[in-house]
Amino acid sequence: MQVVTTNSELRLARNSLPEPIGFVPTMGYLHEGHLSLARRSKEECASTVASIFVNPTQFGPNEDLSKYPRDLERDLRLLASVGVELVWTPTPEVMYPPGFQTWVTVEELAKGLEGASRPGHMRGVSTVVAKLFNAVGPQKAYFGQKDAQQAAVIRRMTKDLDFPIEIVVCPIIRETDGLAMSSRNAYLNPEERQAATVLFRALSAAQSAYKKGERNAETLLRTMTEIIHAEPLAKLQYVSCADYDTLEELETVRGKALLSMAAYVGKTRLIDNFVIG
Ligand code: AMP
């Protein structure tokens, strides 16, 4: 497995890899969720490139950029164990040299959910992914359903900007008690870790209500909200029942819908979602 930092090293290494190339962008501190994307790429592509970059432009001024967990050595071991051929670890200076001022903005899809709670976050994501796509030039790119809005934004951007890349969205990998795997779970103390299953429990309850015939979005949202409120360590930021494609809030669930939420457990902000219908 080759590990490179600069754009020119990347280009050289990438051009010697057999195609199709699958690409797995990450912020590191890898877990089974990330590795599931790399394994899927290994199954479907001749070569797999992963990137590790904690992207400063997708963090707000009061967010956890400097504290974000990092362990490059362990990440590289894990990626090598899956058989990844090339890892790109650009520095902030490589990605954002002095004078940088060009942004990619996906307008409507980026407005609600995470976009509404974290101003500038989605613009940071779409911009960095566009740059990663240009540099790596993959045929396929792998994203997790865990970040549902991010996947929707990237799919839209790829279409709108004519990137010749197929976007593959992979299922959420969970701990045995349902908690969605996340690098941020490392922040949770044992008590918070237990409480953190509340997101999964709330989504599961709404899903069962849906399966029993409930189609009223407000009722589904209330079901989720009540469960989060019953957990003293959790503080709900938003719950949403949105159209799967447009991410517009629904009154009634008819087709495919996205139930999603963000909640703080202690000081740690967690997100999760289920697709219904
Ligand atoms: P991150 O390092 O958090 O930026 O995540 C990198 C990629 O891994 C994104 O496409 C995420 O959606 C995906 N990912 C993160 N957690 C999970 C998970 N639990 N299951 C599946 N994919 C995930």
Side-chain angles (χ1 to χ4, degrees):
M1 188 176 78
Q2 221 183 325
V3 184
V4 295
T5 302
T6 65
N7 274 290
S8 50
E9 289 168 333
L10 171 71
R11 205 167 306 121
L12 205 66
R14 182 259 177 246
N15 286 340
S16 67
L17 292 176
E19 297 188 351
I21 291 176
F23 176 46
V24 181
T26 82
M27 298 205 301
Y29 215 71
L30 304 180
H31 51 66
E32 274 303 311
H34 300 109
L35 298 182
S36 73
L37 309 183
R39 288 197 192 96
R40 176 87 174 265
S41 171
K42 287 291 295 178
E43 278 166 30
E44 297 180 352
C45 301
S47 319
T48 296
V49 179
S51 63
I52 299 175
F53 179 58
V54 184
N55 174 34
T57 66
Q58 70 189 66
F59 286 77
N62 299 316
E63 293 183 359
D64 55 347
L65 172 64
S66 63
K67 282 193 320 177
Y68 195 83
R70 295 160 212 244
D71 190 344
L72 182 60
E73 264 180 44
R74 179 172 168 275
D75 289 348
L76 295 179
R77 266 202 314 278
L78 288 170
L79 291 172
S81 76
V82 174
V84 167
E85 278 83 7
L86 175 60
V87 183
W88 186 28
T89 58
T91 60
E93 294 72 30
V94 164
M95 290 306 273
Y96 301 108
F100 180 90
Q101 54 185 289
T102 304
W103 299 94
V104 176
T105 311
V106 177
E107 302 277 334
E108 296 305 320
L109 281 174
K111 276 191 180 142
L113 307 175
E114 290 299 284
S117 303
R118 303 179 67 190
H121 170 70
M122 281 296 158
R123 180 183 83 153
V125 168
S126 41
T127 301
V128 81
V129 173
K131 287 173 65 71
L132 294 165
F133 279 4
N134 277 329
V136 174
Q139 277 74 39
K140 288 187 169 203
Y142 296 83
F143 292 86
Q145 176 62 22
K146 163 87 192 326
D147 299 274
Q149 185 180 22
Q150 170 176 292
V153 161
I154 298 305
R155 227 194 262 118
R156 187 73 251 167
M157 177 194 80
T158 304
K159 269 204 194 103
D160 289 352
L161 297 185
D162 307 310
F163 283 106
I165 301 173
E166 183 190 332
I167 304 300
V168 182
V169 180
C170 304
I172 302 178
I173 307 295
R174 299 179 178 280
E175 304 286 356
T176 47
D177 62 4
L179 176 65
M181 289 195 184
S182 163
S183 308
R184 289 189 168 93
N185 293 349
Y187 298 141
L188 301 168
N189 69 31
E191 213 184 335
E192 291 166 348
R193 169 63 188 81
Q194 276 214 312
T197 58
V198 72
L199 284 83
F200 177 75
R201 287 188 274 121
L203 289 162
S204 302
Q207 184 189 48
S208 338
Y210 172 83
K211 282 186 178 158
K212 285 186 197 133
E214 185 56 66
R215 294 295 180 268
N216 183 279
E218 209 180 296
T219 309
L220 296 173
L221 294 176
R222 199 174 330 112
T223 302
M224 294 191 278
T225 306
E226 282 171 5
I227 292 174
I228 303 282
H229 284 167
E231 172 50 65
L233 293 182
K235 193 162 161 269
L236 188 61
Q237 192 171 32
Y238 68 78
V239 273
S240 160
C241 175
D243 179 85
Y244 180 78
D245 293 310
T246 64
L247 300 184
E248 277 164 20
E249 288 301 315
L250 296 171
E251 281 177 15
T252 309
V253 180
R254 292 204 176 84
K256 211 169 163 186
L258 181 75
L259 298 174
S260 67
M261 62 171 65
Y264 282 91
V265 175
K267 288 201 172 106
T268 306
R269 187 176 181 280
L270 301 176
I271 58 171
D272 200 353
N273 69 82
F274 277 22
V275 178
I276 56 171

